[in-house]
Amino acid sequence: MSLDKQDVEKIAHLARLAIDEKDIPNYAQNLSNILELVEQMDAVNTDDVSPMAHPTDAMQRLREDEVTETNQREQFQTVAPQVEDGLYLVPKVIE
Amino acid sequence: MHNKTIAELALGLRNGEFSSEELTRHTLARIASLDKELNSFITVSSEHALAQAKAADERLANGNADALTGIPIAQKDIFCTNGIRTSCGSNMLDNFIAPYDSTVVSKFNSAGAVMVGKTNMDEFAMGSSNETSFYGPVKNPWNTNTVPGGSSGGSAAAVAARLVPGTTGTDTGGSIRQPAALCGVTGIKPTYGRVSRYGMIAFASSLDQGGAFAQTAEDAGLILGAMSGFDERDSTSIDKPVPDYQADLNKDIKGLKIGLPKEFFSEGLDNEVARVIEAAIEEYKKLGAEIVEISLPNSGLSVPAYYVVAPAECSSNLSRFDGVRFGHRCENPDDLEDLYKRSRGEGFGAEVKRRILVGAYVLSAGYYDAYYLKAQKVRRLISEDFKQAFEKVDVILGPTTPSVAFNLGEKADDPVNMYLSDTYTIAVNMAGLPGMSVPAGFVNQLPVGLQIIGNYFEEGRLLNVAHKYQQVTDWHQRTPQGFE
């Protein structure tokens, strides 16, 4: 699969990633090369193979639905870029 | 002092030959004078280390010391440390001070180890040369024009240069074994689930696993023992007791069945590296091991499948870096979308962006079956190959990497060529098996690593197999010029 400029722009938007206009051709080339590598998988037939999501096929462990963490909001917000009155600040979302 | 192993240092501390404070000051002084050239540390935590050393000396005096009490170690900068910056090698986290300790760091703290700093790494552990770090590349102490490998390049280089006797690392596709091989040190990646991932910044959650670097297998076992164990805070942690890794180190390996996968000795392997590995196999024959040729027919598909699974998981994991709750935020965003896009665009480097884009693409509507589902099926085939092999053999041996350390800049602009340097290590992560790399010789004055792969939870056997080899060879004791 070969990707062009529009493809890269579309994926970058899906990933919410700003990419410099001048770098797009380079990304398109690199991503196309990576996808070419990936497509070597097509050499093997996997029709009757069950997909493996996890190395040991372990089941998700469950626990009682109890609160185990204490509220550390103030401490967590010390590393936030912008907070006010215990809230995280972002640009206005709703007009 | 700095050439001693952890086992020797622990004895010296107990016999009162030196204190942890003296050892720590010596370690910090060596880092200050020798690491300018290597760049193996992102952060040196001198004050923190000296406070821990004093506390360790008290424990030693009181007679309640553990194996690692008072021993200087360094953490890969992917493990969160409360109060000390955790950058993950990224501009995104250049200002990030974690509000909690990772489980691994807590375990070292309880053991009384002394953390002297955080080691350099490829950005978000994505790379095989340590060149993607926001903090600049690490240099290989054996030849500073060459790369140390990656992503745990700083951890490997710091042990190779005898700056610190042991370090931690993480291995998603070879990030412990490959730099261990290129820097001539011992590295172990345990079975997936053995070491807690809590507070270990996630790259590809179904592949990431913490592990250790040291001079010897004995030391690697000491570190691994301290960091392993069940953790209810990691949903994929495995609830199985951790054996005493020192107990079976000296076990006789007469009759041990060693499998040599023919796929690991075919085209692509450097001839000189092949010769070094064959010499290592001869040593094992002398020790009484039985050599069996095996096949891992799908191992050649591990790199292609990995570059679907790992980027897919990475694109999902790294969506948490949005410029809102922590990490880099752009100046004057126009709106929320601009905030996300520019914060991420400025915070991430080129390789991380490439992988996020590949991941977003393979998971996008219409492509999921062709890429992600296909890769998960191939993953099953790779894993089944190992299952069949371990019905015939006890361990699998081969080269860790197809060649010795390459030059800085040599593969930096060619991602696919860079990815292929992990061709012998990635299959192990896909299956979730434990793997090691031990120094086995040199080609052009650069170290060669011997890879040892074991069945699930057979870390003890791997360490035994590595230790027996280190008893009859001295490759692991060689020190690069200028760092003796």
Side-chain angles (χ1 to χ4, degrees):
Chain A
M1 179 68 77
S2 177
L3 299 185
D4 60 21
K5 185 170 175 288
Q6 281 75 33
D7 294 323
V8 173
E9 283 169 348
K10 187 181 161 221
I11 311 162
H13 170 69
L14 287 175
R16 299 294 186 271
L17 204 50
I19 293 197
D20 279 347
E21 185 74 26
K22 65 171 172 40
D23 294 333
I24 291 181
N26 198 10
Y27 277 104
Q29 184 60 55
N30 281 325
L31 297 188
S32 300
N33 294 347
I34 294 168
L35 292 174
E36 197 183 308
L37 168 79
V38 158
E39 280 153 15
Q40 289 174 18
M41 292 191 301
D42 296 340
V44 59
N45 184 303
T46 51
D47 287 351
D48 301 320
V49 181
S50 66
M52 179 173 170
H54 192 274
T56 50
D57 283 326
M59 298 291 284
Q60 189 72 42
R61 210 174 51 247
L62 300 176
R63 62 165 173 81
E64 292 302 312
D65 185 16
E66 287 166 355
V67 176
T68 54
E69 295 290 324
T70 53
N71 185 0
Q72 302 174 67
R73 178 194 291 205
E74 274 176 37
Q75 199 195 349
F76 292 164
Q77 291 199 334
T78 58
V79 291
Q82 220 182 343
V83 291
E84 196 178 292
D85 301 329
L87 303 171
Y88 294 92
L89 290 193
V90 293
K92 197 168 169 184
V93 179
I94 301 162
E95 292 299 329
Chain B
M1 217 162 5
H2 52 266
N3 278 316
K4 288 191 192 310
T5 64
I6 293 174
E8 290 164 351
L9 290 171
L11 205 62
L13 287 169
R14 275 163 188 72
N15 294 341
E17 288 166 41
F18 43 81
S19 67
S20 174
E21 188 180 340
E22 285 163 343
L23 176 60
T24 302
R25 285 190 192 279
H26 177 74
T27 303
L28 292 169
R30 266 181 77 79
I31 295 170
S33 69
L34 295 171
D35 200 47
K36 281 190 200 83
E37 191 186 4
L38 295 180
N39 197 28
S40 68
F41 280 81
I42 290 175
T43 303
V44 178
S45 48
S46 307
E47 279 178 40
H48 170 84
L50 288 168
Q52 285 192 318
K54 281 176 193 161
D57 281 329
E58 280 176 31
R59 266 180 81 165
L60 284 154
N62 296 337
N64 60 350
D66 282 342
L68 293 183
T69 305
I71 304 291
I73 56 111
Q75 295 283 357
K76 183 178 183 179
D77 206 16
I78 198 168
F79 290 102
C80 286
T81 41
N82 192 354
I84 295 169
R85 177 176 65 174
T86 302
S87 74
C88 221
S90 180
N91 184 30
M92 180 59 86
L93 292 177
D94 184 48
N95 61 2
F96 180 64
I97 295 178
Y100 69 105
D101 278 326
S102 58
T103 295
V104 162
V105 167
S106 304
K107 280 178 171 281
F108 280 104
N109 287 344
S110 321
V114 174
M115 190 190 82
V116 295
K118 309 285 297 282
T119 58
N120 203 344
M121 55 181 285
D122 277 301
E123 185 180 7
F124 284 103
M126 297 176 203
S128 308
S129 66
N130 221 113
E131 293 170 293
T132 74
S133 170
F134 174 66
Y135 302 91
V138 175
K139 311 278 175 65
N140 188 322
W142 290 96
N143 176 344
T144 51
N145 293 320
T146 66
V147 303
S151 66
S152 314
S155 287
V159 172
R162 305 298 188 245
L163 299 184
V164 64
T167 53
T168 60
T170 58
D171 191 315
T172 304
S175 283
I176 289 175
R177 292 159 289 152
Q178 187 253 18
L182 303 194
C183 288
V185 300
T186 303
I188 184 163
K189 174 205 103 75
T191 308
Y192 180 85
R194 183 89 278 189
V195 169
S196 170
R197 295 185 295 110
Y198 179 76
M200 182 179 110
I201 297 172
F203 155 22
S205 303
S206 78
L207 300 160
D208 296 342
Q209 183 57 207
F213 292 93
Q215 293 175 33
T216 63
E218 181 182 17
D219 283 5
L222 288 170
I223 303 178
L224 186 65
M227 67 196 289
S228 295
F230 175 66
D231 181 10
E232 62 181 16
R233 292 178 136 162
D234 170 0
S235 67
T236 59
S237 174
I238 289 176
D239 196 356
K240 236 175 143 66
V242 181
D244 175 2
Y245 292 131
Q246 307 305 304
D248 288 340
L249 270 185
N250 280 304
K251 219 168 105 180
D252 196 352
I253 59 166
K254 208 163 181 278
L256 179 87
K257 286 203 178 79
I258 294 178
L260 304 180
K262 60 176 191 211
E263 292 80 6
F264 286 16
F265 293 88
S266 57
E267 56 162 335
L269 177 62
D270 178 279
N271 284 333
E272 301 289 312
V273 171
R275 225 166 287 167
V276 169
I277 299 303
E278 281 155 18
I281 291 160
E282 285 306 312
E283 291 293 340
Y284 277 105
K285 282 189 194 162
K286 283 191 226 161
L287 289 166
E290 192 185 315
I291 307 298
V292 184
E293 190 183 291
I294 57 164
S295 176
L296 301 169
N298 295 293
S299 60
L301 297 175
S302 59
V303 176
Y306 177 87
Y307 279 96
V308 173
V309 173
E313 294 184 14
C314 131
S315 75
S316 168
N317 271 323
L318 270 60
S319 64
R320 74 190 53 166
F321 300 104
D322 57 4
V324 176
R325 290 153 304 150
F326 43 74
H328 176 77
R329 176 179 215 160
C330 67
E331 299 276 348
N332 306 317
D334 296 333
D335 53 28
L336 192 59
E337 189 176 302
D338 185 45
L339 167 74
Y340 292 151
K341 285 186 173 174
R342 280 201 291 126
S343 297
R344 290 162 62 76
E346 293 164 8
F348 295 136
E351 179 61 19
V352 173
K353 283 183 193 156
R354 275 196 283 271
R355 297 205 195 183
I356 290 174
L357 292 172
V358 171
Y361 180 73
V362 299
L363 291 176
S364 62
Y367 295 106
Y368 181 88
D369 284 5
Y371 291 109
Y372 194 64
L373 200 65
K374 177 83 184 178
Q376 286 191 318
K377 290 179 169 191
V378 173
R379 186 175 186 176
R380 171 81 61 198
L381 296 176
I382 293 164
S383 181
E384 291 293 329
D385 284 354
F386 280 111
K387 208 172 269 177
Q388 286 178 18
F390 283 119
E391 281 170 15
K392 287 180 262 177
V393 299
D394 301 311
V395 294
I396 294 171
L397 248 57
T400 308
T401 59
S403 64
V404 291
F406 43 92
N407 288 326
L408 285 155
E410 190 180 323
K411 299 184 181 182
D413 298 325
D414 186 354
V416 169
N417 193 9
M418 180 78 83
Y419 297 168
L420 292 171
S421 67
D422 292 330
T423 188
Y424 302 135
T425 49
I426 280 182
V428 175
N429 300 79
M430 295 300 258
L433 293 164
M436 272 190 93
S437 182
V438 292
F442 291 84
V443 169
N444 302 328
Q445 282 103 51
L446 289 166
V448 173
L450 170 73
Q451 185 173 209
I452 312 172
I453 303 165
N455 212 340
Y456 297 103
F457 300 103
E458 299 240 310
E459 290 79 10
R461 195 200 285 265
L462 292 189
L463 292 163
N464 165 229
V465 170
H467 179 73
K468 289 305 243 190
Y469 177 72
Q470 293 184 334
Q471 297 301 105
V472 295
T473 57
D474 66 354
W475 305 114
H476 61 289
Q477 290 169 343
R478 307 288 178 93
T479 315
Q481 211 179 354
F483 300 95
E484 296 94 341

